[in-house]
Amino acid sequence: MRKPEAPGKSNNSNNKLRKGLWSPEEDDKLMSYMLNNGQGCWSDVARNAGLQRCGKSCRLRWINYLRPDLKRGAFSPQEEELIIHLHSLLGNRWSQIAARLPGRTDNEIKNFWNSTIKKRLKNLSTSSSTPSPNTSDSSSDAMEALNIPSRQLVDNKGMVSMYMDSSPTSMQSTWIRPLPGVLEHGLNMFGTASGYFNNNIAASPCMTQMGNMGPGGDMFFGDSNGGLSGAANLGAESELFVPPLESISSEESFKSERIYTNNNYFNTTNPTIIGYSNNNSNNNNIKAENLGGVENRFQDQEELIMGEWDLEDLMKDVSSFPFLDFQ
DNA sequence: AAATAGAGCAACCGCTCTCTA
DNA sequence: CTAGAGAGCGGTTGCTCTATT
């Protein structure tokens, strides 16, 4: 934190803008201005509210502190868990992560990550004699560091929790990006998901509406060509078809998204999740690794391209996340 | 009780992106 | 097409608080 400048100093320093901590008076001015006038051009806000602050500072103060819908206080375990998962998907895209945590700001989440979670991860890595393969920011490590049992998401029978796109039209669009570190137990799928195992795959109705899978974990993948592409039981005995996460960087994902936007690999109703390529020679593609189990039939068939995750869809209904209670 | 270290967090900085003229 | 302004984002700083010695 920074010391607020002495009021006198800023007042008689002609146009010099104040920096540092906000005084209660400044907060009042900004708050009442925003409530009465709403958000406009921030430099106008600063001027019209009678604040000796730059617009940028006003924006930050409003977003991070004064906004009425902000939730204060410590992060709940559910929120922590969600942050970890979203970070595993999005990396340091704090604003996108914050967008999925109502009442939380990017700054708050960033601080939380950099202080609490990173620290615990560090402690974990120094204390652990058998570090996991993906040590840096693995969500499983983070879960462990936070004492969140990963079985909260995937039970020890390998039951799968899935959070799926409810859009019935997005059946060809998405693929599942697994969370690192949980696959040894099963698969924790996070976000919009549908089968991506064959061309023109069609999801069964049960799939398009699936919020999470029941204990049986049955999952059907239809094929519009008439053949059943997959009937996957994701329960105790099943393994899933997942790309090696470590090979999928966020950057790659975003590059892929850009590349494939210009091809017809996107589902137009849900254009940012994943592309699908029939071009086996495309070295930019990220190969899906067959882990055995139900998806053997798809081995060597195709390659997958990760695209930008459309988390707007993915987390459109945050309440579908069964472990997150925002109340 | 005083000194020190570390954690937490508010706010700034610099950069990129987007929009508009 | 270009330049400028504004908004937004992620990284970093540095102050305050708290725990420890």
Side-chain angles (χ1 to χ4, degrees):
Chain A
M1 278 177 281
R2 288 158 179 78
K3 283 182 180 173
E5 286 182 31
K9 185 180 173 184
S10 62
N11 287 345
N12 58 23
S13 58
N14 42 57
N15 292 327
K16 186 99 181 201
L17 296 174
R18 278 170 55 82
K19 285 185 178 181
L21 286 184
W22 281 64
S23 67
E25 293 76 24
E26 288 177 306
D27 281 348
D28 285 345
K29 282 182 181 176
L30 180 57
M31 176 73 99
S32 60
Y33 180 88
M34 292 300 292
L35 293 178
N36 290 329
N37 301 281
Q39 181 182 324
C41 169
W42 283 108
S43 53
D44 290 344
V45 169
R47 194 170 36 248
N48 297 337
L51 292 161
Q52 302 277 330
R53 295 271 180 175
C54 67
K56 205 172 178 176
S57 181
C58 293
R59 175 187 162 271
L60 206 66
R61 186 63 177 171
W62 175 255
I63 288 173
N64 286 335
Y65 194 80
L66 296 176
R67 243 170 51 199
D69 60 326
L70 284 182
K71 184 200 283 188
R72 315 296 300 181
F75 285 88
S76 69
Q78 289 80 15
E79 286 177 307
E80 292 179 5
E81 189 179 317
L82 184 54
I83 289 168
I84 291 163
H85 283 310
L86 288 171
H87 188 271
S88 77
L89 295 171
L90 294 163
N92 294 358
R93 295 187 178 89
W94 305 116
S95 61
Q96 290 194 36
I97 294 173
R100 277 89 195 175
L101 279 118
R104 300 296 187 181
T105 70
D106 53 353
N107 208 35
E108 199 176 8
I109 293 168
K110 179 171 58 181
N111 283 334
F112 176 67
W113 183 270
N114 287 333
S115 55
T116 309
I117 299 179
K118 260 191 178 174
K119 181 184 63 187
R120 292 187 206 172
L121 283 173
K122 191 181 171 187
N123 292 340
L124 185 75
S125 67
T126 54
S127 65
S128 170
S129 58
T130 54
S132 73
N134 190 4
T135 52
S136 57
D137 269 349
S138 117
S139 70
S140 63
D141 283 351
M143 302 272 270
E144 196 174 335
L146 287 163
N147 296 318
I148 296 170
S150 58
R151 300 293 64 74
Q152 211 170 321
L153 291 173
V154 182
D155 71 17
N156 56 15
K157 293 177 183 172
M159 194 184 94
V160 177
S161 299
M162 298 187 73
Y163 310 94
M164 305 192 77
D165 185 1
S166 62
S167 164
T169 59
S170 65
M171 50 190 146
Q172 68 167 28
S173 67
T174 54
W175 206 80
I176 298 156
R177 185 173 185 174
L179 299 168
V182 298
L183 293 173
E184 66 271 25
H185 305 293
L187 179 66
N188 174 22
M189 298 179 183
F190 210 90
T192 312
S194 70
Y196 224 96
F197 307 127
N198 207 339
N199 268 332
N200 303 318
I201 193 163
S204 70
C206 75
M207 198 174 155
T208 58
Q209 288 300 323
M210 198 159 2
N212 63 51
M213 299 185 69
D218 291 325
M219 177 176 183
F220 300 95
F221 300 100
D223 182 333
S224 62
N225 292 328
L228 181 66
S229 294
N233 182 304
L234 303 176
E237 307 302 326
S238 301
E239 295 180 57
L240 262 224
F241 175 67
V242 295
L245 190 75
E246 55 275 8
S247 72
I248 303 170
S249 71
S250 299
E251 288 310 310
E252 284 171 323
S253 300
F254 281 86
K255 280 179 202 159
S256 298
E257 184 266 329
R258 290 190 185 101
I259 291 166
Y260 288 93
T261 298
N262 294 326
N263 296 325
N264 293 322
Y265 299 121
F266 275 110
N267 175 337
T268 55
T269 65
N270 199 357
T272 56
I273 296 292
I274 194 169
Y276 186 84
S277 174
N278 295 321
N279 180 2
N280 290 328
S281 65
N282 188 339
N283 292 329
N284 290 327
N285 294 355
I286 298 161
K287 289 191 178 179
E289 188 174 307
N290 191 305
L291 301 181
V294 296
E295 295 309 330
N296 281 340
R297 74 181 67 196
F298 306 112
Q299 189 170 15
D300 302 326
Q301 266 196 349
E302 310 289 355
E303 296 183 359
L304 295 172
I305 301 129
M306 296 298 296
E308 180 180 5
W309 289 88
D310 186 354
L311 283 157
E312 291 306 326
D313 272 352
L314 194 151
M315 297 294 290
K316 192 170 2 185
D317 183 0
V318 183
S319 64
S320 70
F321 188 69
F323 312 110
L324 187 62
D325 177 11
F326 289 110
Q327 301 311 311

